Amino acid sequence: MQLVRGLQNLRSQHRGCVATIGNFDGVHRGHQAILKRLRERALELGVPSCVVIFEPQPREFFAPQTAPARLSRLRDKLEWLAAAGVDRVLCLAFNRRLRELSAAEFVQKVLVDGLGVRHLEVGDDFRFGCDRAGDFAFLSEAAQREGFTVEAARTVEIDGVRVSSTRVRQALASGDFAHAEQLLGRPFQISGRVLHGQKLGRQLDAPTANIQLKRCRVPLSGVYTVSIELQGRAWPGVANIGVRPSVAGDGSAHLEVHLLDFSGDLYGRRLTVVFHHKLRDEQRFASLDALRSAISADIVAAREYWAGVTFHHESGLK
């Protein structure tokens, strides 16, 4: 899959494609249905498929402190789009210049001049352009004028409820990981590289891997049983994700993972953490001794959870 960053990097060989536009946060089953249709249309027309995404996501640009928590980092999103068979991703920097494009200018600069779109797949509630003035009806008129086709993507529902990134966040917030997996088509997971931290876990008899999050907000907070994908193997563990109120911190969310019965150096490695069950909310403790006792209890609870699960290190969870 080819990644093109910005309109300025589009070349003549990038013109002529079928495209879709959106955040694709989490690349859930609703997104997967759009991508399946995109592949089908690309094969019919004999042109590449292209997904147009934005960094930051529009709501993060307008209100970074109140924007929805991200389900996936850009790197994970790109990996899932590639796995879905997408040929090309155009990643547009959402900045003041892009925000001020009118709907007509967006169609002309991005879809017509930039991509030479032959066919466009979007949701029937898709809005774009300055002040979100463009909608599906506007696109339909532009398509007739510019010589491309546009189709509204079918809504995917599970138990009568539309699959959406918002619904996934709600499932995660309520600790319903089974439903989140049903919506996503995969277990919820967070990937990142292990960084050097404060080494506090060693003092608390529970060494942890401090995983870089690289996102403004995360959809989870608390202590969870997790499994960690490490060099093709799955490893049981317990994780804390949150702002660490019991220690001096920077106010940002952190992900710290303790692998059960593991010894080895994880610094610099990229880990994938799969979330299975919530043990408790994040708490503030009055002393390090109280924090140590809570962590010890969390590890015991995680062991009890995994004792009820058949676990094979070589092949993962069964």
Side-chain angles (χ1 to χ4, degrees), residues 165-220:
S165 299
T166 298
R167 188 68 193 89
V168 176
R169 293 186 195 98
Q170 291 170 347
L172 294 174
S174 65
D176 191 347
F177 290 103
H179 188 47
E181 179 175 353
Q182 190 179 30
L183 296 167
L184 288 167
R186 77 183 84 83
F188 178 74
Q189 56 193 248
I190 293 178
S191 299
R193 197 165 300 282
V194 178
L195 303 178
H196 287 275
Q198 296 176 314
K199 310 293 193 298
L200 183 61
R202 297 179 183 179
Q203 302 176 39
L204 300 172
D205 304 321
T208 59
N210 182 32
I211 297 177
Q212 188 179 33
L213 288 177
K214 278 191 175 179
R215 63 183 83 181
C216 298
R217 300 176 62 207
V218 289
L220 296 176

Side-chain angles (χ1 to χ4, degrees), residues 243-260:
V243 297
R244 303 183 299 185
S246 299
V247 300
D250 56 9
S252 300
H254 293 261
L255 172 58
E256 297 175 302
V257 181
H258 173 71
L259 283 69
L260 302 181

Side-chain angles (χ1 to χ4, degrees), residues 42-62:
L43 287 173
E44 290 171 8
L45 296 175
V47 294
S49 59
C50 179
V51 175
V52 182
I53 59 174
F54 307 96
E55 280 293 328
Q57 293 176 172
R59 290 180 66 179
E60 294 170 346
F61 172 81
F62 290 111

Side-chain angles (χ1 to χ4, degrees), residues 19-148:
T20 186
I21 308 170
N23 290 324
F24 285 85
D25 189 23
V27 193
H28 53 61
R29 288 178 61 184
H31 296 142
Q32 293 163 30
I34 294 174
L35 298 175
K36 180 177 183 293
R37 179 59 180 158
L38 197 70
R39 291 196 309 272
E40 293 170 350
R41 293 294 283 146
L43 287 173
E44 290 171 8
L45 296 175
V47 294
S49 59
C50 179
V51 175
V52 182
I53 59 174
F54 307 96
E55 280 293 328
Q57 293 176 172
R59 290 180 66 179
E60 294 170 346
F61 172 81
F62 290 111
Q65 299 305 315
T66 58
R70 282 227 188 178
L71 297 174
S72 56
R73 293 172 51 182
L74 176 61
R75 175 171 177 164
D76 297 317
K77 184 188 300 186
L78 293 174
E79 289 179 356
W80 290 329
L81 290 174
V86 173
D87 296 308
R88 184 178 301 137
V89 170
L90 172 61
C91 184
L92 299 178
F94 199 93
N95 50 27
R96 186 174 299 277
R97 182 180 302 175
L98 186 66
R99 178 254 180 272
E100 291 177 349
L101 286 181
S102 68
E105 289 172 330
F106 184 91
V107 169
Q108 191 65 44
K109 292 179 179 292
V110 178
L111 302 181
V112 179
D113 297 339
L115 293 174
V117 164
R118 297 273 303 279
H119 175 77
L120 185 66
E121 289 273 333
V122 294
D124 58 9
D125 59 350
F126 177 65
R127 304 300 293 262
F128 66 101
C130 186
D131 297 326
R132 293 167 53 86
D135 57 13
F136 187 81
F138 185 96
L139 278 174
S140 297
E141 293 177 4
Q144 291 183 355
R145 185 171 61 251
E146 299 293 344
F148 63 90

